[in-house]
Amino acid sequence: MKRAVPRDVTPHGVAHARRGFSARFASLRATGASALAAFLVVLGPGLLAGLSDDDPAGITTYSVLGTDHGYRLLWIIPVSTVLLVQFHLVAVRIGAATGKGFVGIIRERWGTSWGYLTVVLLLFANFGTICAEYAGIAAAGSLIGVPAWISAPVAGVLITLVVLLGSFHRVEHVLLLISSTLALYIVDGVLARPVWSEVVSGALIPRMPVNDAGWVALTASLGTTLAPWGLAFIQSYAVDKRITTTSLRLARWDVIIGSVLTGVIGLAIAVACAATLHQAGVRIETAADAAAALRPLAGSFATLFFGAGLLGASLLAAAIVPIATAYSIAEGAGEPASLDLDARHFQWFYAAFVGLTVTAVSIVSLPGLPLIPLIYSSQVLNAVVLPLHLIALLRLGADETIMGAARATPWATRLGWVSVALVVTCIAALAWSWV
């Protein structure tokens, strides 16, 4: 049974809605419960937001990185992981301190017009990504002969039923279970039998690209790891989970673990392709191409694990990206945004989720429809939105009027601006390579 979420979005209403989590967390601390038990209470936002970045677009990006450039550019994945930890921590801190998601706090701090603009940008940027997730499901199904017009709708119905009928914690448990399938990519990385000394060298020693394609690969790897929808999701999800400033220390470990696992899985995908497809001179365009090409090079198990991981990643992201977008739409409209809302009555949050899912499934199921232009344009828009999102997070995190004692330190803010400069530089280099 879903619990009702108060419609009061004032600070008093937020405090009331979060009282259950705070009491539960405090009781664990007061009764001397183990640190593990307290950690399990806050586990979720960082893990899901991080692992969902390893979606079909991310898997394809890492596959191309390893296939086309071998071990040379692996270092961008650890760098992206550090940035992921940094900005996910900022987003969680803002959510914990304010009790509002990204669009909600934009709306409060800078007005409804900026809130609406943020929703529009995220909606356009996210929709192509949602289509990409269902395209990933279709691609995984095609590996065993299941057509897209069957696999995509079936997945859409199952995901929608889980979100509409499940409580917050049940939805979270299902998503965490699905995310565990991504561990198969680590097995794939080992099965590929890479040259480990070259893996370590490529991952730790930065070497610049030798051509425009290398710059594209670097920027794409950075952008697929640090996605605007992931940043919006982790903040809104942390609010939905009732994370507060008292639990931030443990929530920080959730973010770090989720981000590191994301980087390890991305590295395993790139290594598997570098050790096999790159050595054989194979060229690929999608993650499904990589899975099929691995069969003669690394065996049937490698193909099976790669395909199963692609399906799990697609299902996870096909749930999370629409949830992230639905959070933003509801917050922009000033309506409640929670997985615990009563689905038997109209809710902006659920209406947005269902609308996005049905539209994306319909598009992916159409035979012969070219998805690449839609997905490509959404990724370009993501590249434009990302620096704006990061700048907004840094400004909000350093704003004492909304953060109070939880505001970022000057040192952390300066480090954040250095990271933004790095992101902008990569995007500028990519744009220059296209001119």
Side-chain angles (χ1 to χ4, degrees):
M1 179 69 69
K2 287 177 179 285
R3 57 182 171 82
V5 173
R7 295 182 65 86
D8 183 4
V9 293
T10 63
H12 172 74
V14 170
H16 176 73
R18 301 161 104 196
R19 193 174 299 154
F21 174 87
S22 299
R24 185 181 175 194
F25 185 80
S27 66
L28 284 172
R29 298 290 296 273
T31 56
S34 68
L36 177 61
F39 174 67
L40 291 177
V41 173
V42 302
L43 179 69
L47 196 61
L48 291 176
L51 291 177
S52 61
D53 279 327
D54 286 329
D55 62 349
I59 294 169
T60 297
T61 299
Y62 297 136
S63 299
V64 171
L65 182 76
T67 300
D68 289 356
H69 306 283
Y71 304 112
R72 180 182 180 85
L73 302 180
L74 292 181
W75 59 268
I76 191 60
I77 299 178
V79 169
S80 300
T81 301
V82 171
L83 295 181
L84 189 66
V85 171
Q86 180 183 13
F87 285 105
H88 274 193
L89 286 175
V90 174
V92 169
R93 179 175 288 274
I94 294 172
T98 65
K100 294 182 182 296
F102 179 66
V103 175
I105 198 62
I106 290 285
R107 177 186 169 101
E108 178 184 283
R109 179 65 179 83
W110 290 306
T112 55
S113 296
W114 282 105
Y116 291 146
L117 177 60
T118 304
V119 170
V120 170
L121 288 174
L122 287 173
L123 177 60
F124 278 101
N126 292 358
F127 182 70
T129 303
I130 298 171
C131 289
E133 316 309 358
Y134 279 99
I137 292 172
S142 69
L143 293 173
I144 56 173
V146 179
W149 61 269
I150 293 178
S151 57
V154 168
V157 169
L158 292 177
I159 291 171
T160 299
L161 289 176
V162 169
V163 172
L164 292 183
L165 302 181
S167 65
F168 175 91
H169 292 294
R170 287 180 180 175
V171 174
E172 183 175 63
H173 292 160
V174 171
L175 295 179
L176 288 172
L177 179 63
I178 294 173
S179 69
S180 65
T181 61
L182 292 174
L184 293 172
Y185 282 119
I186 299 177
V187 179
D188 248 347
V190 175
L191 287 177
R193 298 180 179 177
V195 180
W196 290 109
S197 60
E198 293 188 26
V199 171
V200 173
S201 173
L204 298 181
I205 302 175
R207 285 176 284 184
M208 292 299 102
V210 295
N211 52 34
D212 289 345
W215 285 108
V216 172
L218 282 184
T219 306
S221 299
L222 186 63
T224 197
T225 304
L226 200 63
W229 61 261
L231 293 165
F233 170 79
I234 193 172
Q235 183 171 334
S236 295
Y237 193 80
V239 173
D240 203 358
K241 194 175 174 68
R242 314 296 188 240
I243 300 295
T244 64
T245 53
T246 59
S247 55
L248 268 179
R249 183 177 62 84
L250 290 176
R252 185 180 299 115
W253 282 107
D254 172 46
V255 170
I256 293 172
I257 291 172
S259 299
V260 169
L261 284 175
T262 300
V264 169
I265 291 167
L267 200 61
I269 294 168
V271 165
C273 292
T276 54
L277 307 186
H278 179 74
Q279 296 298 325
V282 175
R283 298 299 300 273
I284 63 171
E285 292 185 2
T286 69
D289 294 341
L294 280 172
R295 187 184 302 275
L297 299 171
S300 297
F301 280 115
T303 298
L304 175 64
F305 291 157
F306 205 97
L310 175 61
L311 177 61
S314 301
L315 289 170
L316 179 65
I320 286 182
V321 183
I323 288 174
T325 312
Y327 276 137
S328 297
I329 292 173
E331 291 165 10
E335 295 291 322
S338 173
L339 287 165
D340 269 327
L341 292 170
D342 185 354
R344 293 171 298 180
H345 302 90
F346 178 83
Q347 305 284 356
W348 278 81
F349 175 77
Y350 289 126
F353 178 86
V354 172
L356 290 165
T357 300
V358 169
T359 306
V361 167
S362 300
I363 290 175
V364 172
S365 300
L366 292 175
L369 186 72
L371 287 174
I372 299 301
L374 174 62
I375 295 171
Y376 176 79
S377 61
S378 71
Q379 298 310 304
V380 171
L381 187 54
N382 268 322
V384 174
V385 172
L386 178 58
L388 299 176
H389 197 139
L390 299 181
I391 291 169
L393 283 178
L394 290 178
R395 290 192 60 187
L396 290 168
D399 192 335
E400 188 174 9
T401 60
I402 62 172
M403 294 294 292
R407 70 169 178 167
T409 64
W411 182 86
T413 302
R414 285 192 291 269
L415 184 61
W417 287 115
V418 171
S419 299
V420 170
L422 174 61
V423 172
V424 171
T425 300
C426 286
I427 294 174
L430 175 60
W432 180 263
S433 70
W434 288 345
V435 175

